[in-house]
Amino acid sequence: MKVFPQVAGIPHDVKTRRQVREELHAKSDCRPSGGQFQLPASSSEPLVAFRCAPVFRPYLEEDGKDAAFIIDTPIMYKYIQGAAPISLPTSLSHSSQDLVTISIGNHLHTTIGVPVNATGFEFSLDIRSLLAQKTAYNVSCSATYKIETSSSKTITQYFSTNTSLLYLPDTSSSVVKTDLRTGFYISFDQCLAKNLSFIDQLEVDGFNTIRPLPPYDNATIFQQVPDKTTELGLYIVYDMQTNYQNLTAVVEEIDVYSSLPNLLHWKIAREPDASSDPVTTARNTYDLIHQMDGYHPVSIVLNCEDYDFAPYVEGTDIVVQNAYPIGINATFSPVWHTECTPNFGHCSCDNCQGFVHDIKARMQTYKNRLYILGFERCMDQPSGFWQWSFLEHHSHWPAMGCYDYDFLEPWRDRYDSPKPSWNSH
């Protein structure tokens, strides 16, 4: 068994932090002044949102000579991120041509024809001349669109955008690429530290991922979790929620756990919008993790339906929603004895109706926002939602044990949630 040292500098005040967060919830429930997502303005003239992004992040030396890119050139009438005016042919008889060039540095580039109003146009770039490195390459994408008018006049229009290519050296440790899903979480100290057989039961019930909730006070037992999950074929999401703002502790954790063979991704902040954590903190932690690791993505869990969404998602590869409509009272809080409205109260599911459909609605809202921000190709949103943890008495849910499968079972058939799957190396 590999021995992992106790990571220093990690606070063990999870309950205190939860109490502080819920007290903030009770006063405002994610509704401080400002912070609402700004919807794009409309345009009376056509716009094109020219976007390009690599298919995978990261690419490795062993992946071969080519890196695939996806080009989108949708025509719309909303000023989403990167949208710019475009002159279109006035009739089908007028010819048009759109050439897209992708460049990395001064020497590596390729040009290909891409039609206007295309979605998911994919082509490859030969990257054999690139040196694999920890730092991402800056990629310039440019488009030249020409139309010929009825008077034989040619109108040339130019569009550009930027992205990045992460091309890493090969590694003997695990590597996780995109197309991620989410799985099951459970308290370590209150559940797993007392009975590791919960991991066996999760595997039997079809889960393939586990996220132990910190703190990890019993380091001896926690060292057994990676071995047991590896043996059962389960992935681990390593949770930094109690100390992600402490960059010294983050460095120590990455040094210790980045070599886990079944590490899926780093989960940094849990509900930073609810506790009003500084919006720059998640991005600082995100940049540090990618500087040190890069082989595993970073995730963040947001609680609020609409509070500072845009700045918080700048610090993540995966954004997870935290709507909990199951088994709650969506209009009155049994904890704080207050009503819950769009402007007041905390019922543990911000602006929810108390039905499973709330989860689908929240995920669609987040998906739409990622598209508006231009993150739909470079940021993932899990499609499953079956996450649960140990719940304390006097909370928003009925008293439950560490893994009350009977409580969850009646709800499973009411939501089409596929079994999680990963594209991992």
Side-chain angles (χ1 to χ4, degrees):
M1 179 182 72
K2 185 174 182 179
V3 177
F4 299 100
Q6 175 73 36
V7 178
I10 300 179
H12 301 311
D13 58 345
V14 176
K15 185 173 182 180
T16 300
R17 290 177 181 232
R18 181 185 300 126
Q19 290 174 337
V20 171
R21 182 168 59 244
E22 292 204 343
E23 288 172 1
L24 290 171
H25 273 313
K27 296 177 182 178
S28 61
D29 195 22
C30 310
R31 299 292 176 177
S33 59
Q36 278 66 60
F37 188 82
Q38 298 299 309
L39 295 176
S42 298
S43 171
S44 59
E45 301 296 330
L47 308 171
V48 61
F50 174 52
R51 294 173 174 178
C52 73
V55 172
F56 289 113
R57 179 183 175 93
Y59 279 93
L60 302 180
E61 289 179 288
E62 64 184 34
D63 288 333
K65 65 177 183 178
D66 295 326
F69 286 81
I70 294 180
I71 303 297
D72 297 308
T73 58
I75 299 298
M76 61 188 55
Y77 292 83
K78 295 285 187 180
Y79 280 100
I80 67 173
Q81 179 64 35
I86 184 172
S87 296
L88 299 173
T90 56
S91 69
L92 295 177
S93 61
H94 298 164
S95 62
S96 64
Q97 183 183 31
D98 192 13
L99 296 177
V100 171
T101 299
I102 292 183
S103 304
I104 303 178
N106 297 323
H107 306 290
L108 188 60
H109 69 276
T110 187
T111 300
I112 190 171
V114 179
V116 170
N117 208 23
T119 299
F121 192 98
E122 183 176 329
F123 68 97
S124 297
L125 177 65
D126 189 331
I127 59 173
R128 283 178 294 183
S129 62
L130 293 181
L131 178 67
Q133 60 184 33
K134 284 292 190 72
T135 304
Y137 283 94
N138 293 322
V139 180
S140 299
C141 305
S142 60
T144 303
Y145 180 60
K146 297 181 179 181
I147 60 172
E148 186 175 335
T149 66
S150 56
S151 60
S152 299
K153 180 181 178 181
T154 300
I155 299 177
T156 304
Q157 303 165 80
Y158 302 96
F159 307 93
S160 64
T161 187
N162 297 297
T163 186
S164 62
L165 174 69
L166 189 58
Y167 181 47
L168 296 177
D170 293 336
T171 177
S172 58
S173 300
S174 63
V175 180
V176 177
K177 298 187 178 181
T178 53
D179 192 23
L180 300 176
R181 302 295 183 263
T182 190
F184 194 97
Y185 72 77
I186 188 169
S187 169
F188 174 75
D189 276 6
Q190 300 184 64
C191 298
L192 293 181
K194 299 176 181 179
N195 187 355
L196 282 177
S197 67
F198 284 121
I199 299 177
D200 299 273
Q201 188 61 48
L202 289 171
E203 191 275 334
V204 170
D205 289 333
F207 293 96
N208 62 6
T209 304
I210 183 172
R211 174 161 66 91
L213 291 178
Y216 310 130
D217 288 335
N218 192 326
T220 301
I221 295 182
F222 187 71
Q223 291 167 5
Q224 301 176 36
V225 174
D227 293 321
K228 191 171 187 63
T229 51
T230 299
E231 177 186 346
L232 295 174
L234 300 178
Y235 291 109
I236 287 181
V237 174
Y238 189 86
D239 198 320
M240 297 180 173
Q241 68 180 42
T242 58
N243 66 300
Y244 83 99
Q245 300 185 65
N246 181 344
L247 297 185
T248 300
V250 170
V251 168
E252 295 178 1
E253 290 183 285
I254 295 172
D255 283 338
V256 172
Y257 297 109
S258 61
S259 61
L260 288 178
N262 60 338
L263 175 63
L264 184 62
H265 60 88
W266 307 99
K267 201 227 77 174
I268 51 174
R270 178 176 181 265
E271 302 182 359
D273 47 349
S275 52
S276 295
D277 292 358
V279 294
T280 57
T281 307
R283 182 56 192 255
N284 292 339
T285 305
Y286 172 86
D287 290 340
L288 175 61
I289 291 175
H290 275 287
Q291 177 184 343
M292 295 185 63
D293 181 19
Y295 294 95
H296 305 92
V298 174
S299 69
I300 192 172
V301 181
L302 297 182
N303 177 78
C304 298
E305 188 263 342
D306 189 13
Y307 181 61
D308 275 346
F309 178 87
Y312 279 121
V313 299
E314 289 183 0
T316 188
D317 299 304
I318 308 164
V319 57
V320 183
Q321 59 83 23
N322 216 20
Y324 283 94
I326 299 175
I328 67 164
N329 185 331
T331 60
F332 187 84
S333 171
V335 178
W336 303 104
H337 308 291
T338 61
E339 64 177 349
C340 293
T341 71
N343 299 308
F344 182 82
H346 171 39
C347 286
S348 197
C349 193
D350 185 37
N351 204 20
C352 292
Q353 302 299 313
F355 302 99
V356 178
H357 178 76
D358 290 320
I359 298 172
K360 181 179 180 180
R362 184 68 54 84
M363 295 179 71
Q364 185 62 52
T365 296
Y366 280 15
K367 180 179 180 180
N368 294 344
R369 291 175 184 170
L370 293 177
Y371 180 77
I372 291 171
L373 295 171
F375 293 158
E376 78 279 6
R377 295 293 186 191
C378 58
M379 189 175 297
D380 198 33
Q381 184 186 18
S383 63
F385 83 99
W386 287 112
Q387 314 175 62
W388 214 261
S389 66
F390 176 83
L391 303 176
E392 297 178 303
H393 294 281
H394 311 297
S395 187
H396 298 273
W397 297 270
M400 296 172 54
C402 289
Y403 182 38
D404 196 338
Y405 191 82
D406 291 335
F407 178 83
L408 292 176
E409 183 63 26
W411 299 87
R412 291 175 64 88
D413 295 334
R414 303 189 190 184
Y415 184 77
D416 183 16
S417 177
K419 181 180 178 181
S421 62
W422 289 266
N423 181 359
S424 63
H425 173 78

